[in-house]
Amino acid sequence: MRLLLLISGLLLVLPTFGEEASSPTVTVQRETIPIIHQFTGYIEAIHRATMKAETSGRIAEIYFDVDDIVEKGNVLARFGNKTQKAELDLAIAGEKEANAALSRDQLNFDRFSDLYEKKLVAKSALDQAIAALDASKARLEAAQAKIKQAKANYEYTIIRAPYSGIVTQRHVEKGEAVNPGSAIVSGISLDALRLVVDVSQNLVGAIRKNRQAMLFLEDGQIIKSEKLTIFPFADEASHTFRVRVDLPAGIDGLYPGMLVKAGFIADEKQVLAIPSRAIVKRGEMNAVYVQNDNGRIEMRLVRSGQVVANEKTVVEAGLDEGESVYLDPLMATVTLKQSSEKQ
């Protein structure tokens, strides 16, 4: 015979007096878990840059402002470049002229070569044709060099985004005159982020050895990374070592400047651990149901610690290795109550 109990719409089948609880038990065992030391660090962009002027001039246009998203190669700003454009056009015209002269001198050389083979012209005439051809080739090379220089000068008047990202600061206004080296626009890429954190000097050796880091996000996510850069020197004031942790791409909710909790595995230790579902809250206390030496159920208060892998919780006090703990606290509670009433 069984009792039916309706709790918050959930129908439970409970054993009656004299029946044994069918809830399984688990043996308390020792497990090896990592020792994690936590620090607070901040997020920064790996790729960040300030675009600076490579020529002098006046800002003609600014196409993006702070917080604007840009793609790689987008024109961020442009100088007034009429002079540079004219120089480029002139260089292109010079190249066309040099090509025309080269074609003419090439035909002339071919004609004199044929005549010389037929012994219809003197060797001096052929030499002059060769010299004229060589001069034309040299003029073409010079014209092409002028085009490269003119293109470079023209490109100096155009500020482009070196990578996709977001504009963080605009340093100039439209119409402002700038000189080489003047800051124009600053930006960062959100595609590649890293954590920067300062760690205690007594832990840096273990961190170098294990090279494992974790980020603990507010939504409960734990982001792991083994890409660590550990500075080889300590800060003279704080005596801490700076560590950079490269983060995997595509983590939502992380932005440069945010503070984040970071953990580093420094060592391992043996602890007692049980499945987290075996622990029941009793006010401010935690408890478990244990099968004692007589095979009876007893409730015991425990002090629990951190949650570890496989949904287990460390038990710091209240249990001994080898004891049996009930996995279903509700069923153990009902069975214990029934046993008490029977007595």
Side-chain angles (χ1 to χ4, degrees), residues 34-337:
I35 299 176
I36 300 174
H37 294 269
Q38 290 194 15
F39 301 89
T40 299
Y42 63 90
I43 302 297
E44 73 173 13
I46 295 178
H47 302 303
R48 48 185 176 174
T50 295
M51 304 295 101
K52 296 184 177 181
E54 296 183 83
T55 186
S56 59
R58 194 173 298 277
I59 301 296
E61 295 290 344
I62 299 177
Y63 299 101
F64 293 92
D65 208 339
V66 175
D67 290 338
D68 286 345
I69 296 175
V70 299
E71 299 294 330
K72 181 179 180 180
N74 280 165
V75 177
L76 305 176
R78 182 175 58 80
F79 289 35
N81 53 17
K82 291 182 179 179
T83 301
Q84 290 83 355
K85 183 65 168 59
E87 291 176 351
L88 178 59
D89 292 341
L90 184 62
I92 292 173
E95 183 191 33
K96 291 180 179 179
E97 183 179 358
N99 269 317
L102 178 61
S103 297
R104 182 192 65 226
D105 290 334
Q106 182 68 54
L107 290 173
N108 197 40
F109 167 75
D110 293 341
R111 183 169 62 86
F112 272 95
S113 294
D114 184 59
L115 293 174
Y116 179 74
E117 289 180 0
K118 295 177 180 179
K119 302 184 183 300
L120 296 177
V121 295
K123 180 68 166 54
S124 59
L126 178 60
D127 291 340
Q128 290 178 356
I130 293 174
L133 180 60
D134 290 342
S136 291
K137 290 179 179 179
R139 284 193 292 270
L140 178 59
E141 291 178 357
Q144 290 172 340
K146 286 182 178 180
I147 285 182
K148 289 182 180 180
Q149 183 61 53
K151 283 183 176 180
N153 291 338
Y154 181 76
E155 282 297 317
Y156 290 157
T157 67
I158 301 174
I159 307 298
R160 302 181 188 274
Y163 41 72
S164 299
I166 185 170
V167 177
T168 58
Q169 190 172 359
R170 194 180 75 180
H171 302 278
V172 294
E173 299 293 336
K174 181 178 178 180
E176 186 175 343
V178 297
N179 295 314
S182 299
I184 307 299
V185 176
S186 296
I188 59 174
S189 171
L190 300 180
D191 295 333
L193 301 176
R194 66 187 173 203
L195 169 75
V196 180
V197 60
D198 295 326
V199 302
S200 306
Q201 63 179 12
N202 63 315
L203 295 175
V204 70
I207 293 174
R208 287 185 193 277
K209 178 182 177 181
N210 291 286
R211 306 192 73 83
Q212 297 183 64
M214 291 167 284
L215 265 70
F216 302 98
L217 304 186
E218 292 183 356
D219 61 1
Q221 286 190 78
I222 300 178
I223 309 299
K224 298 181 179 181
S225 176
E226 296 181 356
K227 297 181 179 180
L228 276 64
T229 301
I230 304 170
F231 282 30
F233 54 88
D235 181 85
E236 294 182 358
S238 64
H239 309 294
T240 57
F241 284 78
R242 177 149 295 187
V243 179
R244 288 176 176 170
V245 182
D246 291 355
L247 305 179
I251 303 176
D252 293 332
L254 279 186
Y255 299 95
M258 291 179 63
L259 293 178
V260 180
K261 287 287 185 181
F264 295 92
I265 297 177
D267 206 345
E268 294 180 337
K269 64 179 179 180
Q270 290 279 323
V271 297
L272 295 178
I274 60 173
S276 300
R277 62 192 177 101
I279 299 176
V280 61
K281 290 283 186 181
R282 286 292 182 265
E284 297 297 324
M285 307 296 292
N286 291 331
V288 296
Y289 288 93
V290 181
Q291 187 179 61
N292 61 24
D293 294 338
N294 298 324
R296 295 181 177 277
I297 301 175
E298 66 178 41
M299 186 183 75
R300 189 181 302 171
L301 296 177
V302 296
R303 186 170 73 245
S304 60
Q306 70 182 89
V307 178
V308 296
N310 302 322
E311 297 183 350
K312 291 187 176 182
T313 299
V314 174
V315 177
E316 298 176 348
L319 289 176
D320 293 322
E321 185 176 5
E323 290 190 288
S324 295
V325 173
Y326 285 89
L327 288 175
D328 188 344
L330 177 61
M331 185 64 70
T333 300
V334 173
T335 304
L336 179 60
K337 182 178 180 181

Side-chain angles (χ1 to χ4, degrees), residues 4-13:
L4 300 181
L5 180 62
L6 185 64
I7 301 178
S8 298
L10 178 64
L11 185 64
L12 299 177
V13 181

